[in-house]
Amino acid sequence: FVFAAQKPLPGAAYYQAKHYLEHILADLHVPYKIVPASKESPFEVGRQIFAPFEPKRSGYLLLGEAGEFGGFIGEYHAAARKGLKLPDYTAGFEIDLERLLQHRRPVNYAPILKFPATSQDVSLKVNAEVHYGDVATLVASGFVADGRLRVTVAPRDIYMSDSDASHKHITFRITLQHGERTLTTDEVNDLLDKMVQHVAATIPAERI
């Protein structure tokens, strides 16, 4: 799979491709984890498969609870884009389909909720070396375990100021929907505040 656009969209191309990859995995109910390629792989995977990708914007796809190698994802570097005649804003991924289907779980259909959803963008200031995936996992796990509450976390933007190379700002679009009522503004703010506290209890993070 390759995602390409002539004009840059909000956020890096890596996260656009990652959005589609995660959509596929979620539809198949496959447990997964994406590990940055900068970290040492426990698998006998040749570095040649990552040759077309930017080293700091590529990763391994691990499938199942045991974390079996199932593919890779990344942004293509300049030489690869030029050779394949791709625009600058390009990223892609490959999946081992046989292994993917082995880890597929039965689909549990969720009812369509009749009460309206509310969305807010939340920007977190974190240390520059913190990986987006780690922050996204903390954000998603920072909401109360309530079967009536449906939470969606999507990437929006990653920004690093020229005047502060030690930090970056990660923006998430968070959508909340309750199965029994319309959430009030105070309830939404409370849920978001608790989520930020959860993230900040694990890594240095500040909502901006």
Side-chain angles (χ1 to χ4, degrees):
F1 173 92
V2 175
F3 179 91
Q6 292 295 337
K7 295 182 179 180
L9 302 175
Y14 173 87
Y15 299 109
Q16 297 290 342
K18 185 171 180 285
H19 172 74
Y20 285 98
L21 174 58
E22 291 178 329
H23 182 75
I24 293 171
L25 297 169
D27 277 358
L28 294 175
H29 290 251
V30 175
Y32 72 94
K33 184 177 182 180
I34 296 175
V35 179
S38 57
K39 296 183 179 180
E40 184 177 355
S41 172
F43 307 99
E44 294 182 1
V45 179
R47 289 299 305 172
Q48 64 271 18
I49 68 171
F50 286 103
F53 298 115
E54 291 285 355
K56 293 185 178 180
R57 286 189 174 170
S58 57
Y60 302 95
L61 171 63
L62 310 183
L63 300 175
E65 300 297 343
E68 181 182 11
F69 177 77
F72 46 90
I73 181 174
E75 281 188 29
Y76 298 99
H77 58 59
R81 295 196 307 268
K82 182 179 179 180
L84 297 172
K85 297 182 179 180
L86 295 169
D88 290 343
Y89 196 85
T90 303
F93 59 81
E94 289 192 27
I95 309 175
D96 184 323
L97 294 179
E98 183 176 348
R99 289 183 179 177
L100 175 68
L101 295 177
Q102 289 175 353
H103 290 283
R104 178 178 57 181
R105 291 179 173 179
V107 177
N108 297 316
Y109 292 97
I112 297 175
L113 302 183
K114 64 179 180 179
F115 294 96
T118 181
S119 297
Q120 279 197 31
D121 288 352
V122 175
S123 294
L124 298 175
K125 180 180 178 180
V126 299
N127 292 334
E129 65 271 14
V130 174
H131 293 287
Y132 162 84
D134 295 334
V135 182
T137 299
L138 286 171
V139 169
S141 64
F143 293 92
V144 294
D146 186 342
R148 301 167 298 172
L149 182 67
R150 189 171 297 174
V151 181
T152 303
V153 179
R156 288 290 292 168
D157 189 30
I158 297 179
Y159 170 75
M160 183 177 291
S161 171
D162 293 336
S163 60
D164 184 7
S166 62
H167 294 90
K168 60 185 173 184
H169 301 167
I170 303 178
T171 302
F172 299 92
R173 169 67 53 86
I174 299 176
T175 302
L176 303 171
Q177 189 175 20
H178 200 281
E180 296 180 357
R181 66 181 187 278
T182 300
L183 292 170
T184 66
T185 300
D186 287 342
E187 287 177 320
V188 171
N189 290 337
D190 184 60
L191 287 167
L192 295 177
D193 287 344
K194 289 180 178 177
M195 178 274 293
V196 173
Q197 292 171 11
H198 170 77
V199 174
T202 305
I203 60 172
E206 176 187 355
R207 185 176 181 181
I208 57 174

